[in-house]
Amino acid sequence: MSSMKLLVVDDSNIIRRKIERSADTSCFDVVGLACNGVEALTMLQSTQASVVTMDLTMPEMDGVECVERMVKLKPDTRILVVSALSDVETGILALEKGARGFLCKPFSEQQLNEALSELVEGLDV
Protein backbone atom coordinates (compact mmCIF):
# COMPACT_ATOMS: atom_id res chain seq x y z
CA MET A 1 0.00 0.00 0.00
CA SER A 2 1.38 3.41 -0.88
CA SER A 3 1.08 6.38 1.46
CA MET A 4 -2.06 8.48 1.63
CA LYS A 5 -1.75 12.25 1.71
CA LEU A 6 -2.58 13.57 5.19
CA LEU A 7 -3.46 17.18 5.99
CA VAL A 8 -3.29 18.15 9.68
CA VAL A 9 -5.59 21.00 10.78
CA ASP A 10 -5.30 22.37 14.33
CA ASP A 11 -4.70 25.83 15.80
CA SER A 12 -2.20 24.34 18.27
CA ASN A 13 1.32 24.00 16.91
CA ILE A 14 1.97 21.35 19.59
CA ILE A 15 -0.92 19.18 18.40
CA ARG A 16 -0.03 19.65 14.70
CA ARG A 17 3.52 18.52 15.38
CA LYS A 18 2.35 15.62 17.57
CA ILE A 19 0.10 14.30 14.78
CA GLU A 20 2.85 14.85 12.19
CA ARG A 21 5.33 12.86 14.32
CA SER A 22 2.86 10.17 15.37
CA ALA A 23 1.15 9.29 12.10
CA ASP A 24 2.33 5.96 10.70
CA THR A 25 4.67 6.98 7.90
CA SER A 26 4.22 3.66 6.10
CA CYS A 27 0.56 4.60 5.56
CA PHE A 28 0.47 8.40 5.67
CA ASP A 29 2.52 11.17 4.13
CA VAL A 30 1.89 14.48 5.93
CA VAL A 31 1.53 16.99 3.08
CA GLY A 32 0.33 20.02 5.03
CA LEU A 33 -0.08 21.61 8.46
CA ALA A 34 -2.89 24.19 8.65
CA CYS A 35 -3.70 26.37 11.69
CA ASN A 36 -7.31 27.22 10.76
CA GLY A 37 -10.11 26.32 8.36
CA VAL A 38 -9.29 28.99 5.80
CA GLU A 39 -5.71 27.78 5.46
CA ALA A 40 -6.93 24.16 5.41
CA LEU A 41 -9.22 24.72 2.41
CA THR A 42 -6.36 26.30 0.45
CA MET A 43 -4.01 23.46 1.39
CA LEU A 44 -6.60 20.81 0.52
CA GLN A 45 -6.66 22.10 -3.04
CA SER A 46 -2.90 22.56 -3.39
CA THR A 47 -1.89 19.25 -1.79
CA GLN A 48 -4.77 17.03 -2.97
CA ALA A 49 -4.81 15.46 0.50
CA SER A 50 -7.23 12.54 0.84
CA VAL A 51 -7.16 12.28 4.64
CA VAL A 52 -7.57 15.16 7.10
CA THR A 53 -7.34 15.46 10.89
CA MET A 54 -9.56 18.37 11.97
CA ASP A 55 -9.70 20.40 15.15
CA LEU A 56 -13.07 22.00 15.92
CA THR A 57 -12.21 25.21 17.75
CA MET A 58 -10.03 27.44 15.59
CA PRO A 59 -9.83 31.12 14.65
CA GLU A 60 -11.10 32.48 11.30
CA MET A 61 -13.05 29.33 10.35
CA ASP A 62 -13.96 26.58 12.81
CA GLY A 63 -13.81 22.85 12.16
CA VAL A 64 -17.52 22.31 11.54
CA GLU A 65 -17.68 24.92 8.77
CA CYS A 66 -14.40 23.66 7.34
CA VAL A 67 -15.66 20.04 7.26
CA GLU A 68 -18.79 21.15 5.43
CA ARG A 69 -16.79 23.12 2.85
CA MET A 70 -14.21 20.34 2.37
CA VAL A 71 -16.92 17.77 1.69
CA LYS A 72 -18.49 20.08 -0.92
CA LEU A 73 -15.09 20.75 -2.49
CA LYS A 74 -13.78 17.18 -2.42
CA PRO A 75 -16.50 14.69 -1.34
CA ASP A 76 -14.18 11.69 -1.08
CA THR A 77 -11.99 13.35 1.59
CA ARG A 78 -11.83 11.30 4.81
CA ILE A 79 -11.97 13.62 7.81
CA LEU A 80 -11.12 12.64 11.39
CA VAL A 81 -12.20 15.15 14.02
CA VAL A 82 -9.53 15.44 16.73
CA SER A 83 -10.91 17.46 19.60
CA ALA A 84 -11.41 17.69 23.36
CA LEU A 85 -14.18 15.80 25.13
CA SER A 86 -15.93 19.07 25.86
CA ASP A 87 -16.50 19.40 22.10
CA VAL A 88 -18.45 16.14 21.72
CA GLU A 89 -21.73 17.86 20.75
CA THR A 90 -19.87 19.95 18.18
CA GLY A 91 -18.11 16.77 17.05
CA ILE A 92 -21.45 15.12 16.36
CA LEU A 93 -22.40 18.16 14.29
CA ALA A 94 -19.13 17.77 12.36
CA LEU A 95 -19.98 14.11 11.74
CA GLU A 96 -23.37 15.18 10.40
CA LYS A 97 -21.59 17.58 8.05
CA GLY A 98 -19.39 14.83 6.65
CA ALA A 99 -16.56 13.97 9.04
CA ARG A 100 -16.16 10.21 9.40
CA GLY A 101 -14.46 9.75 12.75
CA PHE A 102 -13.81 11.36 16.13
CA LEU A 103 -10.73 11.13 18.34
CA CYS A 104 -10.66 12.79 21.76
CA LYS A 105 -7.72 14.85 22.99
CA PRO A 106 -5.47 13.96 24.62
CA PHE A 107 -4.62 10.89 22.52
CA SER A 108 -1.77 8.41 22.27
CA GLU A 109 0.19 7.60 19.13
CA GLN A 110 -1.53 4.21 19.06
CA GLN A 111 -5.01 5.76 19.38
CA LEU A 112 -4.25 8.18 16.55
CA ASN A 113 -3.05 5.45 14.22
CA GLU A 114 -5.99 3.18 15.05
CA ALA A 115 -8.42 6.02 14.34
CA LEU A 116 -6.66 6.86 11.06
CA SER A 117 -6.63 3.18 10.02
CA GLU A 118 -10.37 2.88 10.69
CA LEU A 119 -10.93 6.09 8.75
CA VAL A 120 -9.28 4.80 5.57
CA GLU A 121 -10.33 1.16 5.90
CA GLY A 122 -11.53 -0.15 2.57
CA LEU A 123 -9.96 2.61 0.51
CA ASP A 124 -7.81 1.65 -2.46
CA VAL A 125 -4.64 3.64 -2.67
Side-chain angles (χ1 to χ4, degrees):
M1 182 168 132
S2 61
S3 297
M4 304 183 93
K5 292 181 178 179
L6 174 64
L7 173 61
V8 179
V9 185
D10 200 301
D11 63 338
S12 164
N13 185 46
I14 293 167
I15 298 296
R16 288 194 306 270
R17 295 296 174 191
K18 179 176 181 175
I19 293 171
E20 181 183 33
R21 281 193 318 270
S22 301
D24 182 352
T25 55
S26 67
C27 299
F28 300 99
D29 181 21
V30 177
V31 294
L33 301 170
C35 64
N36 62 56
V38 173
E39 195 175 74
L41 288 173
T42 302
M43 284 190 179
L44 180 70
Q45 292 177 300
S46 65
T47 63
Q48 292 299 308
S50 56
V51 182
V52 177
T53 65
M54 178 70 66
D55 189 15
L56 293 177
T57 308
M58 298 181 290
E60 294 192 46
M61 182 191 299
D62 68 23
V64 172
E65 184 178 351
C66 189
V67 165
E68 189 171 19
R69 288 187 181 201
M70 278 187 169
V71 170
K72 283 182 183 164
L73 196 64
K74 198 168 175 262
D76 58 342
T77 306
R78 299 283 174 122
I79 303 170
L80 174 67
V81 172
V82 180
S83 194
L85 271 175
S86 59
D87 291 334
V88 167
E89 282 185 27
T90 313
I92 291 169
L93 183 59
L95 293 169
E96 290 171 357
K97 300 290 184 185
R100 298 186 185 197
F102 187 94
L103 177 64
C104 289
K105 292 178 185 173
F107 54 86
S108 69
E109 184 175 323
Q110 181 180 353
Q111 288 169 325
L112 174 69
N113 283 302
E114 285 174 2
L116 286 171
S117 293
E118 285 177 19
L119 190 71
V120 300
E121 201 170 71
L123 281 184
D124 291 327
V125 182

